[in-house]
Structure formats: C-alpha cells, structure tokens
Amino acid sequence: MDNLFPSGLPWPTAFYLTVYLMTFAMHQAFMHYVLAGSLYVTWVTIRPGRETVPLTEQPLAATLRDWMPFLLSAAITAGVAPLLFIQIVYQHSFYTANLLLWWRWMALVPVLIIAFYLLYLIKSRTLWKWPYFVRVMVVAGASASFVFTGFCWTVNHLLANRSEAWPEVYVTGQLPFSSMAVVLRMLVWIGGSFATMSVIAGWQLWYRHATHREAIEPVNSRPLAGMALGGLGLAWLAGVAYIMQADEMTRNMVFGRAIFAYIVVAVIGAIVQVVGWGFQWRSSQLQTTGLVTATTGAVVSLSGVCVIREGIRISAIDLTGLSVRHSEAATVGGFGLFVVAAVVVSLLIGWCVWLVRAGASP
Amino acid sequence: MDQVFPVNDYGPIMPGLVMAGVAIVHVFLAQFAVGGGVLLCYFQWLAMTGRDPHARQFVSGYFKLLVLISFVLGALTGVGIWLTAIQISPATIGSMVDHFHWLWATEWTFFCLEIVSGYSFYRYHSRLNDRAAMTLLAIYAAASWMSLFIINGILSWQLTPGRWLETHNVFDGFFNPGFWPSLFFRTIVSLTLAALAACVVTNMMPSLNRGARRSLINRAALMLVPMVLMPGLGIWFLAVMPADSRSWVLGGSPAMMLFLNIAIGSSMAIGAYAIFGMVMQRLYINSATASLLLMLAFGATAGGEFVREGSRKPYSIRYVLYSNAIRPDQVARLRDIGCTSDDPYGLRNDSMYPDDQVRLGAKVFRRQCSVCHTVSGTNAVTELTGAWDQNQMRLNFAKLQHTKPFMPPFAGTAVELESLVQFINWSSDPQATRPHAGDSDPGTLGQIEAWLQEAGTAPGNFEQNHKRH
C-alpha cells in the first residue's frame, strides 16, 4: 500500500473498510464514555473520604452514573455495525481469532451482561445505602468487566494479525505475542477513553447548567480538563512505546505513505484537544468555545487513531486475497434499502429527540 | 483454496446444542420485546382514553421490565448469538453475512431507533404529554417489529431459499417461500409472550387490588386472541417447507417430531387457556399460573426453534452449505484430495492417540462430524454406530446420504473413511488391542472406494427414494 489510505485500495475494499471504520469510531466514542466513566466512578467511590460527600457535590459522578446504562446500550447497539462489517472485511482472520480464543472470547458476553446490570445498580439509589465494601465491589466489578472487554478485543485484534502462528496457538493455547504489546495497546485505549468521556460528559454538564441556570451551580471544569489531558498524555506515551516495540513491518506501515498522514491527523487532533482543555482549565468553568474546540480535537484524534489501528492490521494481512471477496460482496444488493432506512431512521431519531424536548406536559 | 477454520471441542455437549441454547434464549427475549412494544401502545391508548384507570401505572412498570430484560439480555444475547454462530459454524454465518449484509445493516438502523425511542420513553415518559409518549411508544414498537421483519427474511432463507438459488437476487432470497408464514407466526408468538409477561407483571404490582389486576389481565389477554391463527400458519409453513424437511418433522426424525409436538402441545395448552379461560370467561390468573404459562411459552419457543434449525438437515443453508460447512460442490474435490489435506491445525491432545491412522480419523471426525455429533456425549457417534460391525460402518459412512437422508455425503478419501472407522472403534474401547494398528488393507480400501463411487457425491435423493417405495 503506497497511496494514502484508503485511496490505494480497490474500491470495494476501500468502501467496506471506510464503512467499518466510521461505525467503529462511533462505537468507540460510546464505549469510551462507559469505560472511563466506570473507572472514574470507581475512583470517587473508593477514594478515602469521598464516600461521605453528597451526590449533589459530585456532579460528574452523578451524571456518569445516571447515563452509563444508556451509553452502554448505545455502545453495544453501535457495536453491531462494525461487528457486521469486520466480517466482510476480514472474515477469515476475524473468525479464526474468535475460534482460537474460544471461551476466553465467549466469556465477553456474560461479563458484559453482568456489567450492564451492575451499571443499573450503580445508577440506583439502593446501592448507595449499602456498606462501603459492597459499593466498592460493585463499581470495581463494572470497571473490571469493561477493561476485560477491551482486553478481549485487543487480543482478538493482535491474534487475527498473526496467521503464521494460528496452528501453534490452536494446539498449545499459548498466545503468540508479548503481554507488553497487549498492555500498551490497552493503555492507549484507556487513556484515550478519558479524553472522549470528558468531552461527552462536559457537554452533558454544560447542558444541565445551561437549561437550569438558576438552580445549579456552575461545574468546576478543572477535574474534567485534568482527566482529559492526563488521558491524552497516557494514550500518546503508550502509543509511542507500542510503535517502538512493534516489528519492522508494523513500523514501516505506520510511518509509510498510506498511514503517516493519519498520525499527523491524530497529533493535530490531540493538540486541538489540549488547546480546548487548556482554555477550560484557565476559565475553571465549562465554556462553549473550549468544549467545541476539545470536541473537534477528539473527533479528529479518534478518527486518526482508528485508521492507524487498521493500518497496523492491514500491514499483517494479505489484502489482495481479500479484495476478491470484497468485490463479490459489493455485487450483493440491498445497499439502496440501507441508505433509505438510514435516512428515515435518522429523521425518526430526530423526531424522538424533538418529542422529548417539546412534548413535556404543561 | 477453501478456508479451513479451527474447531473447538465442547466435550459431551454437541456444538449445535450450544447454538440452540443461545438462540432460544435470544429469540424468546427478542420476541417478547417486539410484542411488548405493541402491547404498550395498546395500554397507553387505554390510559389516554380513560378506558382503564390503571393502564398508565402498568405501562410504566412494564416498560421498566422491558428495559431491564430486553435491552440488556436481549441485546447482549443478540451479540452472543453472532459470536456463538462464529464458534459453531463460521462458514454458515460468513455466507449469510456475505449475501445479506446490507439487510443486516438495515436491521441495525432499526436497532438504533429502538434504543433511542425506548430510552426516551423510559427516561422521560413521566413528564411527557400523552400524545408524545404514545408517539415514542409507536416508534419503538414499529422499530422492534421491523427488526423482526428483517431477521425473519434472513433466517427463513436458510431453509427455503426459493428463487434466490437461480437469481442470487437479495430480495428473492429475502421474500422466500417461508417468509410470510414465518413472519405472521413470529408476530403472533411475540404478542403471546408480551401478553403472558403482562400477566406476570400485573401480579407483581403491589399497589393494585385484585379488581384492577383482573381488569389489566383481561385486557392483556386480548393480545392472545391471534393465537387462533397459529394452526393455519403452522400448516402454511409446513406446506412451503422442502418435502424432505417436512418428512423429518412429521415422523421421519423422532427427535424433531418430539420437539414439534412439544411446541404444538405447549401452544395449544396456552391458546386453549387463553381463549376459553382468559378471554371468554374473563378469568383472573395469579402470578404462579402466569409464570407457568410463560414457561410453557418458553418450551414452545424452544421446540419451535429446534425444529426450525433441525429441519434444514443435511444443510445449514439449503442447497448451499451442508451442516458440516462443506459445500455440495466441494464434495467431489474432497473425495480426491481428502478433507484433511488443507487442514493446517493439528490435534490438541495428539499424544493420546495410539497411531497415525486414529489421528487422521480424529481429524476427519473434527472436520466432518463434530458440529452435530460428539464422540461419546450427546448424539455420540460411538453410540449411534454401537451395533454396527466395521464393515457396516464402512458401508454406511461411504453411502452416508443414503443411509440417513438427513446426513450429507461423506467428503473424503477411502483412506480417510477407514481412519474414521478406526477412530470410532478406538474411541469406543481405547483399551482394546488394535488388530491392524496403522495399516489400511488394500482390499478394504478398494471396497470403500467402490461404495463411495456407488453413493456418488450428490445429496440423498429423497423424492426418488419415496417414489421407489
């Protein structure tokens, strides 16, 4: 691949990869909120002394607890689309990685079911009447479940890229990569999730204040800015370390003509986020300008990182063989129906939002 | 070159049962969600028009259950069914995705709408006016039914692909012969599950007195009336099934007939109680009875789904893919090159086998048999072949599609077939001395080859055999 991604690829491959990446990025945004949100709620729950602070004085934690079940639902629903398109794009390698991981992979479903119910418990008032120890177990359990989910996907991704090792993995069950690679990739994901969560939660808190200006004190934006900046720093440090320890083929792809531009995009996105959160830090309150800047940066960064992640996979997989399958898939009908359905459903979703805003009882 | 996937061993549980377990739970929950949307619209209308003073309270309580069960378990078992399908038969799910991915993507848009409208109602209904609340519920109901509409087309295609086989047009496959009877049947099942769940929920609302509960239960029972159409729809579905599949469920396969009878018996029991008791005599049912009826409905769903999955045999996609993920057009080639020649995966417990012939047999079993059979657990080959001597096994395996018409043809060489026979023999009694350890007698192989030639590579011809009889 010598041209800028995805222009160097046959159009069906480029098309399915792009659709996959767009839906994947959307799923990631929701998942980031839940992951970083549950980790933050765990922190404020276990931090000595914080357990007695009234909820009204923890607006961020209260907002996260209130919204995480819905955002997890959104993440799972949004995740169906990339799960569909990854089967078109990388069918054989994705399926084989699933099969080789077997129960380690299938454990993901019951773990997520448990995590989902834990989020509802965290949202309920009942939990906060229970002893400290139980509260900690519940919030830590939810966080651990989401970290485990990320671990499963990371391992699946890495294993899918190592076709030469599959027969050995099948027989021995031993994974063919270092735990350092897994840890660094997960740190990129966890760090980045704090940046994304801060943006979404920032807008929620801003909206809450904007619509209840008289009743609610403005939220101190510094903890949110601190989390976003810290998360960004962690993600970038881990990302650089991952690239440094990666094999030559991966490095060549990442710094090659196809992908390098997206590193630049991701860096620009990160800089824009730093500017946005820096503005919030200075003002101490959530401001529209800062939030718009940070949001723009987050969208740009997330898009860039998703493409870089895919570039690493593409470097390890024979795309020539896959492109024949993609061409065949592209001849299947139904795309027009999907476009019509997507437009109609988007309008209906807009109507739902309007109904909630306009349909309040007098 | 065709791709071979690694195969996992589920011990005494046959992989098909794992799939069935996840699928039945998901179908039950998903259909409950579909019917629940319609039922909630009806009760919201009752509340808006003042026809039932307790309907509003019911809507709120019922929707909480819907969110806690369907939005969580329903959604995640939906993902689970996909991941399980990959575990059990990646070739089947891959083929379905290849052919119908845009329809699945369309279904996904309706999932999104379901989530947004459902959560909007759940979160804000207490402060919305009736009209807005009703609109949200109607959107939710329509979105969830549309997801049923779409997945029904893809699932029914597996058994009755119809004109798609000639045209490969996605809509010919979608609106296949089984589409409409299956859609109407599933819609009625959805309403039934929602109504029975409503009876359970009503009994769990402590603030209602018996009179209020009776009123709500009697109104929910109206959703059970369409069950009277089930026998007709069932007959319609049987009529469009391929003749051989129909014969399995009507007596050709005792297991499938048994499951069909469980589904019919459970549905009849629910339907009779609903029509004669709850609708005509307006009986009150307590939570125990309501729960029992719901469990019966689960049994009916399980039986029906088992029959739907099982009646496709020997295919997982009719005329396209056999249950063991081998395509009909691959059989002749695999007879030449062998089914293990392109399998890069070794055996997990290689050292436990006594010799290479048994090892080869284990690989043949893994590739061709293990999706539907275990060695010594459920549907075990050692049990099914227990009364056969070695020659009987050779003959029956070589002519497998004629031995049992719901089995695919053997897709391997004579050497592989003999090694499979030796693997099963050894598995039946690992301590026994193997008389010709590792050897294949040329005469035996010649006889197997002749039987394979006689059997041919095509699937068993059910209609021809019926005419002969």
Side-chain angles (χ1 to χ4, degrees), chain B residues 76-301:
Chain B
L76 279 162
T77 52
V79 175
I81 204 169
W82 226 340
L83 301 183
T84 311
I86 292 170
Q87 289 292 325
I88 306 305
S89 183
T92 305
I93 191 70
S95 181
M96 292 166 80
V97 167
D98 281 348
H99 295 304
F100 293 105
H101 54 277
W102 290 118
L103 294 186
W104 249 317
T106 305
E107 189 195 12
W108 170 71
T109 65
F110 289 105
F111 288 156
C112 296
L113 183 58
E114 227 179 305
I115 293 295
V116 173
S117 57
Y119 265 101
S120 297
F121 181 84
Y122 172 65
R123 198 176 169 86
Y124 300 108
H125 74 275
S126 59
R127 64 170 106 140
L128 292 180
N129 62 43
D130 277 342
R131 196 180 169 84
M134 182 67 175
T135 309
L136 283 176
L137 278 178
I139 292 173
Y140 169 78
S144 56
W145 187 79
M146 279 306 295
S147 69
L148 171 71
F149 181 88
I150 293 169
I151 195 64
N152 172 67
I154 300 171
L155 293 182
S156 54
W157 166 81
Q158 284 185 275
L159 177 64
T160 52
R163 272 168 33 88
W164 178 88
L165 291 166
E166 290 107 54
T167 65
H168 275 240
N169 180 296
V170 70
F171 295 107
D172 283 340
F174 184 76
F175 292 109
N176 61 76
F179 177 83
W180 293 110
S182 177
L183 178 70
F184 294 139
F185 197 91
R186 285 182 185 279
T187 303
I188 292 173
V189 171
S190 301
L191 295 175
T192 303
L193 295 178
L196 294 176
C199 297
V200 176
V201 170
T202 304
N203 275 292
M204 287 162 58
M205 296 169 76
S207 57
L208 297 179
N209 61 30
R210 190 179 169 103
R213 287 180 188 171
R214 177 193 292 274
S215 167
L216 290 170
I217 286 170
N218 288 335
R219 290 192 185 279
L222 293 177
M223 309 288 280
L224 297 167
V225 173
M227 285 187 83
V228 297
L229 299 174
M230 276 182 160
L233 291 168
I235 291 167
W236 183 8
F237 188 76
L238 280 173
V240 301
M241 280 173 96
D244 51 351
S245 297
R246 189 164 52 242
S247 83
W248 315 149
V249 301
L250 294 179
S253 162
M256 266 189 275
M257 189 179 71
L258 179 69
F259 275 95
L260 179 67
N261 283 331
I262 289 172
I264 292 173
S266 305
S267 301
M268 281 177 65
I270 297 165
Y273 192 90
I275 303 298
F276 296 114
M278 295 167 71
V279 177
M280 292 174 71
Q281 296 189 38
R282 300 177 68 78
L283 288 178
Y284 169 79
I285 58 168
N286 61 21
S287 57
T289 311
S291 301
L292 186 66
L293 288 174
L294 202 55
M295 279 190 268
L296 269 178
F298 184 81
T301 306

Side-chain angles (χ1 to χ4, degrees), chain A residues 195-263:
Chain A
T196 316
M197 180 275 281
S198 299
V199 165
I200 301 172
W203 279 113
Q204 286 178 304
L205 293 170
W206 172 88
Y207 180 77
R208 198 158 151 259
H209 178 64
T211 51
H212 302 83
R213 193 172 290 277
E214 302 300 319
I216 295 175
E217 289 288 308
V219 176
N220 180 2
S221 62
R222 285 194 172 176
L224 214 50
M227 264 193 298
L229 293 169
L232 272 176
L234 175 67
W236 277 101
L237 280 175
V240 169
Y242 178 75
I243 300 295
M244 283 170 65
Q245 62 85 52
D247 56 41
E248 197 180 341
M249 195 165 62
T250 302
R251 279 203 299 274
N252 287 344
M253 175 55 105
V254 169
F255 295 112
R257 289 170 62 184
I259 297 299
F260 186 70
Y262 290 94
I263 292 191

Side-chain angles (χ1 to χ4, degrees), chain B residues 335 395 398-399 414 443-456:
Chain B
R335 286 268 175 94
L395 170 67
K399 298 189 172 186
T444 304
L445 292 180
Q447 180 60 69
I448 293 171
E449 191 62 54
W451 282 329
L452 284 169
Q453 293 284 344
E454 281 175 34

Side-chain angles (χ1 to χ4, degrees), chain A residues 16 66-67 70 77 87 91-92 95-96 98-99 102 106 117 120 170 325 329 332 334 337-338 345 359-361, chain B residues 5 7-9 67-68 84 87 90 94 98-99 101 106 108-109 115 119 123 127-129 345-346 348 366:
Chain A
Y16 283 114
D66 190 23
W67 280 93
F70 170 69
T77 306
Q87 293 179 67
Q91 193 172 89
H92 187 228
Y95 286 175
T96 304
N98 276 237
L99 286 155
W102 193 15
M106 294 303 289
Y117 283 119
Y120 274 110
Y170 177 75
R325 280 200 61 254
V332 169
L337 177 70
F338 166 70
V345 162
S361 298
Chain B
F5 292 100
V7 177
N8 291 314
D9 179 8
V67 167
L68 284 175
T84 311
Q87 289 292 325
D98 281 348
H99 295 304
H101 54 277
T106 305
W108 170 71
T109 65
I115 293 295
Y119 265 101
R123 198 176 169 86
R127 64 170 106 140
L128 292 180
N129 62 43
Y345 299 101
R348 276 189 172 136
R366 187 175 71 183

Side-chain angles (χ1 to χ4, degrees), chain A residues 159-171:
Chain A
L159 187 56
N161 300 353
R162 297 289 303 273
S163 59
E164 79 287 352
W166 291 343
E168 184 68 17
V169 174
Y170 177 75
V171 172

Side-chain angles (χ1 to χ4, degrees), chain B residues 431-444:
Chain B
Q431 306 306 324
T433 310
R434 285 180 30 74
H436 311 290
D439 293 339
S440 296
D441 172 41
T444 304

